């Protein structure tokens, strides 16, 4: 069994080697990058991203990042491209070719075909003097001195550099387009991330009960209301105005002091000036409010400050927001 300390040391060495290479890559960004961004931004077509081997895997991920940030992109495997998939490339498309060496046979066959169609080609390569580097319209240099692999063979640092360059392209395009969190939500409607961006308080409370009692109602009625509505809380009202809140914890604390509850009413044990949140606020804002005040429920109100419902921490957990 390998010594645990050497495993940890190897892991740290790999991470530091790759992070050093990436930081040095910032010095390689030049006018070619700016021109490539302008080419994509001004294009009426899509971005076709292609590569072979591990570069193809990176290309696929960059395509996903582009699509999710408002730049339409399509993945095209370089080997498949020269066997029919070249038909994916339309007249106004911009093509990004990814290759560490820039001299792979598939790229050498593919590149002239793309150029013959008149499409602009952006190279992401670690060898600017390669066939790809010399024949592309714009060259993005992802040179790294060595791989993190101890044999300097397995694509590790080089593919990380390619990925980072793709992220740099995506982020620059995102900023140029003024891409906002609302735009992001349109492309990420599923999962917890999407819900954080579009789910509102009104969506959380629409299926919940509306527990409420009047300020002069008996404690017995308060207990029944909290129990029946199953939200662990009730609003306390005075002529349709929220004047307080009672949680099941408030009831338990009262009962530890006395069981003679006949003469008590809701106003005697309610918390005054309860925290509220607008029903059109984002669900993530409700979570922040609960966390900031270390509470598990918050009352929702509409724009006219009318009682609209209860947001419970369990609602947020169920939706995957928490």
């Amino acid at each position: 069994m390998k010594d645990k300390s050497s495993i940890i040391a190897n892991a740290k060495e790999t991470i530091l080697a790759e992070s050093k290479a990436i930081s040095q890559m910032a010095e390689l960004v030049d006018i070619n990058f700016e021109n490539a961004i302008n080419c994509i931004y001004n294009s009426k077509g899509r971005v076709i991203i292609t590569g072979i081997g591990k570069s193809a895997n990176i290309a696929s991920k960059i395509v996903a990042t582009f699509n999710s940030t408002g730049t339409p992109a399509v993945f095209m495997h370089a080997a498949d491209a020269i066997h029919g998939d070249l038909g994916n490339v339309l007249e106004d498309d911009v093509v990004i070719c990814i290759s560490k060496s820039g001299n792979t046979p598939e790229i050498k066959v593919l590149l002239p075909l793309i150029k013959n169609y008149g499409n602009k080609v952006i190279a992401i390569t670690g060898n600017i003097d390669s066939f790809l580097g010399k024949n592309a319209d714009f060259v993005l240099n992802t040179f790294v001195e060595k791989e993190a692999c101890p044999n300097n063979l397995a694509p590790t640092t080089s593919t990380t550099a390619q990925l980072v360059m793709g992220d740099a392209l995506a982020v620059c395009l995102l900023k140029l387009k003024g891409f906002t969190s609302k735009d992001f939500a349109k492309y990420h409607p599923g999962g917890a991330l999407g819900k954080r961006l579009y789910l509102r308080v009104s969506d959380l409370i629409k299926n919940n009960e509306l527990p409420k009692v009047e300020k002069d109602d008996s404690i017995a009625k308060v207990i029944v209301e909290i129990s029946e509505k199953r939200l662990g809380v009730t609003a306390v009202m005075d002529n349709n105005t929220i004047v307080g809140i009672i949680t099941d914890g408030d009831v338990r604390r009262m009962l530890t002091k006395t069981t003679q509850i006949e003469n008590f009413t809701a106003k005697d044990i309610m918390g005054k000036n309860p925290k509220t949140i607008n029903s059109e606020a984002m669900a993530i804002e409700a979570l922040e409010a609960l966390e900031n005040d270390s509470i598990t429920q918050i009352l929702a109100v509409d724009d006219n400050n009318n009682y609209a419902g209860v947001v419970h921490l369990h609602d947020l957990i169920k939706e995957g927001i928490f």
Side-chain angles (χ1 to χ4, degrees):
M1 181 177 177
K2 290 283 186 181
D3 179 61
K4 287 186 177 180
S5 62
S6 66
I7 292 173
I8 294 173
N10 288 336
K12 290 182 177 181
E13 183 181 355
T14 301
I15 293 168
L16 290 173
E18 294 205 4
S19 64
K20 180 181 178 182
I22 296 308
S23 64
Q24 291 174 341
M25 198 176 77
E27 301 300 320
L28 303 179
V29 177
D30 57 16
I31 192 64
N32 271 278
F33 185 92
E34 182 178 343
N35 290 338
I37 288 291
N38 287 329
C39 177
I40 297 172
Y41 180 72
N42 294 319
S43 170
K44 296 179 181 178
R46 308 158 302 166
V47 180
I48 308 296
I49 309 182
T50 188
I52 193 79
K54 301 299 186 294
S55 294
N57 296 331
I58 298 300
S60 182
K61 189 277 175 185
I62 295 174
V63 163
T65 302
F66 271 35
N67 282 326
S68 69
T69 52
T71 300
V74 176
F75 170 69
M76 180 178 69
H77 196 283
D80 294 334
I82 57 179
H83 292 283
D85 281 5
L86 193 55
N88 283 322
V89 183
L90 304 179
E91 181 179 356
D92 293 321
D93 291 343
V94 175
V95 179
I96 297 178
C97 287
I98 305 176
S99 172
K100 177 187 176 182
S101 71
N103 288 314
T104 55
E106 293 83 0
I107 295 296
K108 285 186 173 182
V109 173
L110 178 60
L111 189 57
L113 298 174
I114 295 172
K115 297 287 286 183
N116 285 341
Y117 288 151
N119 297 87
K120 293 295 184 181
V121 176
I122 300 168
I124 296 180
T125 181
N127 182 7
I128 60 175
D129 294 321
S130 63
F131 179 85
L132 176 59
K134 290 181 177 179
N135 288 280
D137 295 287
F138 313 105
V139 183
L140 309 184
N141 193 350
T142 52
F143 172 77
V144 296
E145 290 185 3
K146 60 178 295 187
E147 301 287 2
C149 165
N151 299 315
N152 196 28
L153 294 174
T156 46
T157 308
S158 62
T159 47
T160 302
Q162 294 169 352
L163 187 63
V164 169
M165 186 62 75
D167 286 344
L169 288 169
V171 171
C172 287
L173 288 165
L174 178 154
K175 290 184 176 180
L176 269 181
K177 295 178 179 183
F179 196 81
T180 67
S181 59
K182 290 184 178 179
D183 297 315
F184 196 80
K186 290 192 298 184
Y187 297 104
H188 298 76
L193 177 58
K195 289 180 179 179
R196 281 173 173 260
L197 294 168
Y198 74 80
L199 199 69
R200 297 185 181 275
V201 168
S202 56
D203 298 314
L204 296 173
I205 65 175
K206 63 184 179 183
N207 294 321
N208 285 349
E209 297 280 359
L210 195 69
K212 60 181 178 179
V213 296
E214 292 296 317
K215 64 183 179 65
D216 292 320
D217 283 342
S218 68
I219 296 302
K221 185 170 182 178
V222 169
I223 294 173
V224 170
E225 186 71 0
I226 292 176
S227 178
E228 287 185 347
K229 300 301 171 62
R230 300 183 180 182
L231 288 167
V233 67
T234 183
V236 181
M237 314 295 294
D238 183 12
N239 294 323
N240 296 318
T241 299
I242 299 173
V243 293
I245 187 172
I246 301 174
T247 68
D248 51 8
D250 293 326
V251 174
R252 287 195 300 271
R253 282 186 287 274
M254 181 200 68
L255 292 175
T256 60
K257 297 176 181 179
T258 180
T259 57
Q260 305 298 317
I261 63 174
E262 293 82 2
N263 296 323
F264 285 88
T265 60
K267 65 177 180 291
D268 296 321
I269 67 168
M270 70 182 187
K272 298 179 180 178
N273 302 315
K275 297 284 183 181
T276 61
I277 189 167
N278 190 280
S279 57
E280 290 307 305
M282 305 307 293
I284 188 65
E285 296 178 58
L287 175 60
E288 291 169 355
L290 294 179
E291 290 179 331
N292 290 339
D293 291 294
S294 299
I295 54 180
T296 56
Q297 307 102 333
I298 188 169
L299 303 182
V301 296
D302 63 19
D303 290 336
N304 296 317
N305 214 38
N306 296 316
Y307 179 38
V310 176
V311 179
H312 196 289
L313 181 61
H314 291 163
D315 299 322
L316 295 158
I317 294 174
K318 184 171 67 176
E319 294 292 345
I321 303 294
F322 185 73

